[in-house]
Amino acid sequence: MRIGELSKRSGLSRDTLRFYEKQGLIHSHAGAAATNNYRDYPEDTLIQLEQIADAQAAGMSIADLILFLSQLEAADSEDFDGEAFLQARIDEVTDRIRRSERFLDSLRRAKQVLATPPTEP
Amino acid sequence: MRIGELSKRSGLSRDTLRFYEKQGLIHSHAGAAATNNYRDYPEDTLIQLEQIADAQAAGMSIADLILFLSQLEAADSEDFDGEAFLQARIDEVTDRIRRSERFLDSLRRAKQVLATPPTEP
DNA sequence: CAAAACCATTGACTTAACTCCATGGTTTTG
DNA sequence: CAAAACCATGGAGTTAAGTCAATGGTTTTG
């Protein structure tokens, strides 16, 4: 599909998609018509964009994401401990979830307070 | 306590603490010695800083945090629906946790793959 | 008591992740 | 077929959340 459709279906702006592609998070190939230079994005780019959104929600930077993706592909590089890298991310995300849940509790408590009318003395 | 101790105990830089104070997230008062202009931070600032870290981990911006804090204090302002605001944050954080957990799963699966030696054909 | 360590203030700088704009070419549509 | 809608590229601008550097005053310490 072309970038306009991808943008509409993913909810991301064209600029964001081009930015992601420049960073190497998604990929496209030249379209069928040789007359233009329009790019074509495969259908599963939508799934990848969802995964990117998940990763971002978990606090990963794009730089980390690129490293993570290279882990999925490579699975064997000398000078890089993939397992250690992944474990470090797992620890980070776990901690972030813990903190998020703690914060969620205080949001709920605050709402509770707001919803409860003050008692007459 | 003075800013140096707060920095050491919280793990945040002085600059960050001053930045937070300028934003209104933490507060201090003039110290005992009238001869200088050193500021004094109450003990429970440390707790507040932990809560701020939780909120940030949950994806809240400082601007939102300030609104949230004002909710805790005020509890009654005409032109502002505190409950709706809090519910919106609750929904956001809930979704973020959901996505984070999904991402955590793929991190764990990736590590599993890496840890499993390829099977001989 | 002097050097080292600390403090406040101001303003410029940095980084990540976009976002906008200008330009010029291509497709689609009424 | 012309206007509207779409596309690519390059580069500048924006925002949030800090970080750094310069200056000048204050405390602590060996």
Side-chain angles (χ1 to χ4, degrees):
Chain A
M1 86 194 78
R2 298 204 299 216
I3 201 171
E5 189 185 343
L6 185 59
S7 168
K8 208 158 290 171
R9 291 220 263 156
S10 68
L12 298 170
S13 76
R14 283 154 212 249
D15 277 332
T16 296
L17 295 171
R18 295 217 181 86
F19 172 71
Y20 282 177
E21 184 162 12
K22 193 175 292 177
Q23 304 294 314
L25 289 179
I26 60 176
H27 302 278
S28 65
H29 52 81
T35 117
N36 62 23
N37 56 344
Y38 292 5
R39 313 253 44 185
D40 190 77
Y41 295 85
E43 192 71 19
D44 65 1
T45 307
L46 282 163
I47 295 170
Q48 290 165 25
L49 289 172
E50 270 301 305
Q51 292 168 343
I52 291 169
D54 288 352
Q56 299 225 94
M60 298 271 289
S61 69
I62 286 181
D64 278 348
L65 250 175
I66 289 164
L67 275 178
F68 171 56
L69 291 182
S70 75
Q71 279 313 294
L72 292 186
E73 312 287 284
D76 62 286
S77 58
E78 290 302 323
D79 54 339
F80 188 75
D81 189 345
E83 265 185 87
F85 170 77
L86 287 173
Q87 188 58 51
R89 292 324 108 185
I90 288 171
D91 291 348
E92 277 173 24
V93 173
T94 302
D95 187 65
R96 190 176 288 263
I97 290 174
R98 198 175 51 78
R99 283 182 178 277
S100 298
E101 273 164 351
R102 226 155 58 187
F103 182 66
L104 187 55
D105 274 353
S106 52
L107 281 174
R108 291 213 180 97
R109 278 196 300 272
K111 195 187 165 207
Q112 194 59 40
V113 167
L114 231 63
T116 308
T119 56
E120 293 283 329
Chain B
M1 86 194 74
R2 299 204 298 215
I3 201 169
E5 188 183 345
L6 185 59
S7 169
K8 208 158 291 175
R9 291 220 264 156
S10 68
L12 299 169
S13 75
R14 281 154 214 249
D15 277 332
T16 296
L17 295 171
R18 295 214 181 87
F19 173 71
Y20 282 176
E21 184 162 13
K22 193 175 291 176
Q23 303 295 315
L25 289 179
I26 59 175
H27 302 279
S28 65
H29 52 80
T35 113
N36 63 22
N37 57 345
Y38 292 4
R39 312 254 43 185
D40 189 79
Y41 295 85
E43 192 71 18
D44 64 2
T45 306
L46 282 163
I47 295 170
Q48 289 165 26
L49 288 172
E50 269 300 305
Q51 292 169 342
I52 291 169
D54 288 352
Q56 299 225 92
M60 298 271 290
S61 69
I62 286 180
D64 278 349
L65 249 175
I66 288 163
L67 276 177
F68 171 56
L69 291 183
S70 75
Q71 279 313 294
L72 292 186
E73 313 285 284
D76 62 286
S77 59
E78 290 301 323
D79 54 340
F80 188 75
D81 189 344
E83 264 184 87
F85 170 78
L86 287 173
Q87 187 59 52
R89 292 323 108 186
I90 288 170
D91 291 349
E92 278 173 22
V93 174
T94 303
D95 187 65
R96 189 175 289 264
I97 290 174
R98 198 177 50 79
R99 283 183 178 277
S100 298
E101 273 165 350
R102 228 156 56 189
F103 181 65
L104 187 55
D105 274 353
S106 51
L107 280 174
R108 290 214 179 96
R109 277 196 302 271
K111 194 188 166 206
Q112 193 60 41
V113 167
L114 230 64
T116 307
T119 57
E120 292 285 329

